[in-house]
Amino acid sequence: VDNNGTANATTGTIVSGNLDGLSASGDAIFAYQGAATSGNNPDYTSNANPTTFNGTILFGLYAQASSSITTWLTTGTASSQATYLPSQLNVANGNIALGASATRGQYTGSRTNQTSFAAYRTLVNNPANWTTAPSSGTVTLNTTPFTLVTGPTASVITGGSTICAGENTQFSVSVTGGTSPFTVVYSDGTSQFTLSGYVSGTVVTVNPTTTTTYSIVSVTDANSLAGTNNSGSVLVTVNQLYPFYVDGDFDGFGAGNPVSVCAVDANTPPSGYSVTNTDCNDAVAAIYPGASEVPFNGIDDDCDGTIDEGSQITTQVLASQCGTTLTAINSSIGATAVAAPVDGYRFRVVNTTTNEVQTLDRTTPNFQLTALANYEYATTYSISVMLRRNGVWLNYYGSSCLVSTPAVLSPGGAAAVTPSQCGITLPSISTLIATTSLQGVTGYRFRITNVTDNTAPNQVQTLDRVTHWFSLTMLGTYAYGTTYTIEVALKTGNSSTYSGYGAPCSISTPIVPVITNPGVANTTTALFYTTSMNRATSYRFELTLAQSPFTTIIVDRASHYFSFSNVPGYVPGGQYAVRVAVMTSGIWSPFGEAELVTAPGATRGMFEEETAPGIAFRAVAYPNPYIEGFALDMDTPSDAQIQVKVYDMTGKLLEDRNVSVDAIEVQQFGTRLPSGVYNVIVTQGSFVKTLRMIKR
């Protein structure tokens, strides 16, 4: 702009008025945008407030006619008719050194990021921040505004929640303006806490132990400028743990055991919990204490322990059967019938001995104990009945009634050896011993006690059978000449336990045999023999001298005979009392009765080879007639296998088996045959025996 010419602004704004204040001796190019007074001497000194410098544009240069003038005017005021910069840009003496021959220049220093006007003044008064040129030319004004940086203009704390003691929660601070990161100081009402390097919106985790309100104390930005307009607060409500009951159906009544739950207080449970546990069905919201009772739905709607108060319908076991003993375990047990819409009967059966409870659902008012999984003889049951109405069980029972099963364990009861066998001596060691076959019995337990020899091994033995009979030869040990007491226990249905034992019965095994040919032995090889006994494996001969010194000699033999050649140290011509014992199942029987035998005289002849007496082939089938199966009792001199064939009366072969001699007497034959008459042929080598059997 020439001070004598017309000022035409093409960039920025030229202040109003003339520029007489510039030197008349040279040209000055000076532009300042901002408030100023009008007149011949525009006054810039009023721009003392640094904020008015925001948005100003600064350009300026003064050149004297003499190139020796190298500095800005060092003195002068707004009214001094001298060149000057606005007082806000002056240093102490207004001295900015640009260069010896500068003719034009422009400020190229920073116009941003300064926090105060004083900081910009330092930059403007630094020649290093000016670009100058010594020649003529055109300068384009830089109109970029100077900008003062400011601190945060608003900070708001947000968050808040309800937690339980021991839990964490979060809040955040939203900062507007200022330069990140920030330093935030907040308070919990008692203490203050500092967050350094904080970025706006970052969550802050706290874990107060009591209800606490958090607020902002101060916010300072990275330029250490303090923020303004801090606002907001965060309320964190801290609840404690209290015992409540789960209310699964949300009806206000809980059930079960107490659980610890976070709540405002002990009387204000959160949703899904209750201060009571009186709900009798916590899965249905319509069922709770005080609810209306719905008749005949089978439900205790009001949880008072009674269903259908005032409208119950019941029945019970027939009066004619209450207190009675059934004639058979499968006898029908009836209840008083109830008319429609009743359509079902549930029998609850309680074993009064074991307290086992079983139920059976029926569409008719009767049932049998054998329809239960477990039932027992000689047992009293308490029986009650529930009704079903229109397909809905009413869930309450009528009066109970006691009914007993047959007293088979009492003296004379069926759980005992068949009376016809009690007190007898068995015809054979393998004779079958039977009890009554009872309805519904799935197992028979026989307890056999040796009462002849209290020191005998296996004095008490038990044998479990699915059939109602057994033989002594099925035991671990058994002996001739022995009396046993036999008791029977029963197992019924699907039960795995047996009842008590019934009345005992005494049965004796066949007597121990005696010497069958007593007399005088003419030679040392003369044989004295006893009866060959079924199942005997050894024979013991006891010879006691019938005169002083009454010595006893024992001779054990695998055969049922002996000669004095087998007797060591006998007295020639001496008379001996000979008794026999028999070994079966590894044990000796008691000795039988004594027979007198005289030893050979003093003069002995040559020893002769011992010759065994013949043993007859014998086969007997028993029982006959039979119900389930029959066995064979045999004597045989042969060790060959035995063949057993069973034919019907038309000659058709129905059963053909080969059995070893030592196993023949434990075999059962004819078990799968229907009732009828059969021919049985027993063959061993050249021995043949034909038997006729009847199955009932």
Side-chain angles (χ1 to χ4, degrees), residues 127-323:
N129 291 326
W130 287 77
T131 299
T132 62
S135 59
S136 62
T138 302
V139 176
T140 302
L141 290 175
N142 183 348
T143 61
T144 302
F146 287 77
T147 303
L148 287 176
V149 295
T150 60
T153 58
S155 298
V156 180
I157 185 171
T158 58
S161 62
T162 298
I163 62 172
C164 199
E167 294 179 346
N168 296 331
T169 188
Q170 296 175 329
F171 65 78
S172 63
V173 177
S174 178
V175 180
T176 301
T179 303
S180 183
F182 305 95
T183 298
V184 177
V185 179
Y186 69 92
S187 171
D188 63 1
T190 301
S191 303
Q192 293 186 357
F193 308 89
T194 300
L195 301 173
S196 299
Y198 183 80
V199 177
S200 177
T202 302
V203 296
V204 180
T205 300
V206 292
N207 55 345
T209 58
T210 60
T211 298
T212 302
T213 299
Y214 296 92
S215 59
I216 299 175
V217 175
S218 65
V219 177
T220 305
D221 72 355
N223 295 314
S224 300
L225 296 176
T228 58
N229 299 319
N230 299 328
S231 64
S233 63
V234 170
L235 174 64
V236 179
T237 302
V238 180
N239 292 333
Q240 304 300 317
L241 292 172
Y242 299 96
F244 295 107
Y245 300 95
V246 174
D247 180 13
D249 54 10
F250 299 92
D251 59 6
F253 298 88
N257 297 318
V259 295
S260 293
V261 181
C262 195
V264 175
D265 55 49
N267 298 313
T268 310
S271 178
Y273 295 90
S274 173
V275 295
T276 69
N277 65 339
T278 54
D279 198 335
C280 56
N281 187 338
D282 204 36
V284 180
I287 301 174
Y288 57 87
S292 298
E293 190 74 14
V294 179
F296 310 126
N297 67 349
I299 298 173
D300 181 14
D301 302 280
D302 57 5
C303 295
D304 66 351
T306 303
I307 300 175
D308 294 347
E309 298 95 312
S311 57
Q312 289 186 345
I313 52 176
T314 61
T315 187
Q316 67 179 81
V317 171
L318 295 172
S320 61
Q321 290 187 304
C322 285

Side-chain angles (χ1 to χ4, degrees), residues 329-401:
I329 201 165
N330 62 342
S331 296
S332 178
I333 300 172
T336 302
V338 181
V342 169
D343 53 11
Y345 299 82
R346 175 171 291 168
F347 293 89
R348 180 175 63 184
V349 184
V350 181
N351 184 322
T352 60
T353 301
T354 64
N355 291 323
E356 179 188 20
V357 179
Q358 301 178 81
T359 59
L360 185 65
D361 293 348
R362 300 273 291 163
T363 57
T364 57
N366 55 71
F367 79 106
Q368 295 171 304
L369 289 175
T370 51
L372 299 173
N374 299 314
Y375 53 89
E376 297 179 15
Y377 279 91
T379 302
T380 298
Y381 293 92
S382 175
I383 304 173
S384 53
V385 187
M386 177 193 299
L387 297 175
R388 186 178 65 194
R389 184 180 184 275
N390 288 330
V392 177
W393 291 106
L394 299 183
N395 284 330
Y396 51 85
Y397 289 90
S399 300
S400 61
C401 174

Side-chain angles (χ1 to χ4, degrees), residues 374 445 491-498:
N374 299 314
R445 172 169 289 173
K491 182 175 68 173
T492 53
N494 297 322
S495 175
S496 60
T497 60
Y498 283 88

Side-chain angles (χ1 to χ4, degrees), residues 520-537:
V520 179
N522 295 321
T523 67
T524 57
T525 58
L527 294 177
F528 294 95
Y529 55 90
T530 185
T531 305
S532 176
M533 303 299 289
N534 180 24
R535 299 303 180 90
T537 57

Side-chain angles (χ1 to χ4, degrees), residues 48 68 134 160 190 310 324 395 427 449 452 460 465 508 623:
S68 61
T190 301
T324 64
N395 284 330
T449 303
T452 298
V460 179
R465 300 274 290 162
S508 299

